[in-house]
Amino acid sequence: MAKDIEAAGQGGFSAKDYHDPPPAPLIDAEEFTQWSFYRAIIAEFIATLLFLYITVLTVIGYKSQTDKAKGGDDCGGVGILGIAWAFGGMIFVLVYCTAGISGGHINPAVTFGLFLARKVSLVRAVFYMAAQCLGAVCGCGLVKAFQKAYYSKYGGGANELADGYSKGTGLAAEIIGTFVLVYTVFSATDPKRNARDSHVPVLAPLPIGFAVFMVHLATIPITGTGINPARSFGAAVIYGKDKAWNDQWIFWVGPFIGAAIAAFYHQYILRAGAAKALGSFRSSSTI
């Protein structure tokens, strides 16, 4: 994101001039001629692959260690807290590693929200989502290759609606959970805030990772926590069972709705985008 920031002292108070970066073009054909574009796509692919590999392996390991048929017990393994830490911790690490290359999306819902806010072009958004989904499939494929005996037996890390919950409840959980994540992404990467507080860009991966961690604590018992369509899609493709596919729409519709609401809330309510647009229109109409 552009950071054309200029420092200026005002009577003992240090302020920084700030101008909103221009919106990304809907379709930018020039991106196809830039190596940075393809480098960013590769970064999203590898980051999502690593994310799914570590997290799904953690889920399967936990279920194996708590399998009473194998002498396990409910207190064995990392527990739900450990699974939540695996997801949140990996997002923290991977966002930190890739933020300067691709923006560190690692999630089609995040990419969709940033696209709606005109932070990325349609071309980049589509290629990012494709790379994320392919990376997720490959990551889960690696887990199955290394844990073939356990993968299908312990659910393959696939997202499914838990027994006792309606589809509406599952959808609402995904909407709210994704809203928390994407709202955090917007707040942590807000260029206006970065201009005012120099420490914010450095700390950005931390609140994003914590948001993923907290949402997992709340929604693992309901849906297993998707809030990332690529994560749900990759696990469903490799696992291949009917239940995972029957519930798959929840893990696309919910996150995309949650991301859209977060983008609208941040851009038009908190950043007063609607008021600015109305003011600009009134100014132009009086000229």
Side-chain angles (χ1 to χ4, degrees), residues 52 56 59-60 63 87 140 151 154-159 231-232 235-236 239:
L52 267 293
V56 171
V59 171
I60 292 175
K63 290 186 176 181
F87 279 88
C140 290
Y151 188 84
Y154 296 116
N159 286 123
R231 175 260 185 275
S232 303
Y239 183 53

Side-chain angles (χ1 to χ4, degrees), residues 1-202:
M1 296 181 184
K3 298 179 181 177
D4 47 344
I5 304 159
E6 184 181 345
Q10 297 277 338
F13 172 77
S14 179
K16 295 183 179 180
D17 293 336
Y18 170 78
H19 302 285
D20 279 321
L26 184 62
I27 298 176
D28 187 1
E30 289 186 8
E31 288 187 310
F32 291 111
T33 66
Q34 299 169 350
W35 164 242
S36 61
F37 174 66
Y38 298 101
R39 182 183 62 182
I41 292 170
I42 294 170
E44 286 293 312
F45 168 79
I46 295 297
T48 314
L49 183 154
L50 294 174
F51 176 59
L52 267 293
Y53 173 73
I54 295 296
T55 55
V56 171
L57 206 56
T58 302
V59 171
I60 292 175
Y62 163 68
K63 290 186 176 181
S64 171
Q65 291 170 319
T66 56
D67 186 353
K68 294 182 179 178
K70 293 178 56 182
D73 61 82
D74 293 335
C75 295
V78 297
I80 289 180
L81 184 64
I83 292 173
W85 270 120
F87 279 88
M90 278 304 292
I91 287 296
F92 167 68
V93 170
L94 293 170
V95 170
Y96 178 83
C97 292
T98 60
I101 301 170
S102 66
H105 296 192
I106 322 170
N107 185 336
V110 171
T111 300
F112 181 66
L114 293 173
F115 164 70
L116 292 180
R118 301 292 302 274
K119 305 293 185 183
V120 295
S121 68
L122 176 61
V123 170
R124 187 173 291 263
V126 170
F127 275 83
Y128 272 22
M129 291 181 191
Q132 291 155 359
C133 289
L134 182 59
V137 171
C138 293
C140 290
L142 282 178
V143 175
K144 186 173 183 179
F146 294 149
Q147 296 275 3
K148 196 167 186 178
Y150 292 157
Y151 188 84
S152 295
K153 181 178 180 180
Y154 296 116
N159 286 123
E160 297 177 355
L161 184 65
D163 294 336
Y165 293 98
S166 67
K167 292 187 182 297
T169 300
L171 181 63
E174 288 296 308
I175 291 173
I176 296 170
T178 311
F179 173 86
V180 171
L181 170 59
V182 179
Y183 173 40
T184 303
V185 170
F186 273 106
S187 298
T189 60
D190 187 343
K192 184 174 183 179
R193 193 173 178 191
N194 294 348
R196 185 183 66 229
D197 304 318
S198 60
H199 66 277
V200 169
V202 178

Side-chain angles (χ1 to χ4, degrees), residues 192-272:
K192 184 174 183 179
R193 193 173 178 191
N194 294 348
R196 185 183 66 229
D197 304 318
S198 60
H199 66 277
V200 169
V202 178
L203 297 177
L206 186 60
I208 295 171
F210 261 106
V212 172
F213 167 68
M214 297 304 295
V215 171
H216 272 76
L217 286 182
T219 59
I220 281 177
I222 304 173
T223 62
T225 308
I227 66 171
N228 184 335
R231 175 260 185 275
S232 303
F233 176 75
V237 168
I238 301 300
Y239 183 53
K241 304 296 183 182
D242 289 342
K243 173 65 172 171
W245 283 113
N246 291 340
D247 293 341
Q248 185 67 197
W249 68 272
I250 295 174
F251 303 104
W252 284 85
V253 175
F256 275 33
I257 292 176
I261 296 172
F264 176 83
Y265 176 63
H266 185 270
Q267 293 296 106
Y268 293 100
I269 305 299
L270 298 186
R271 292 296 306 279

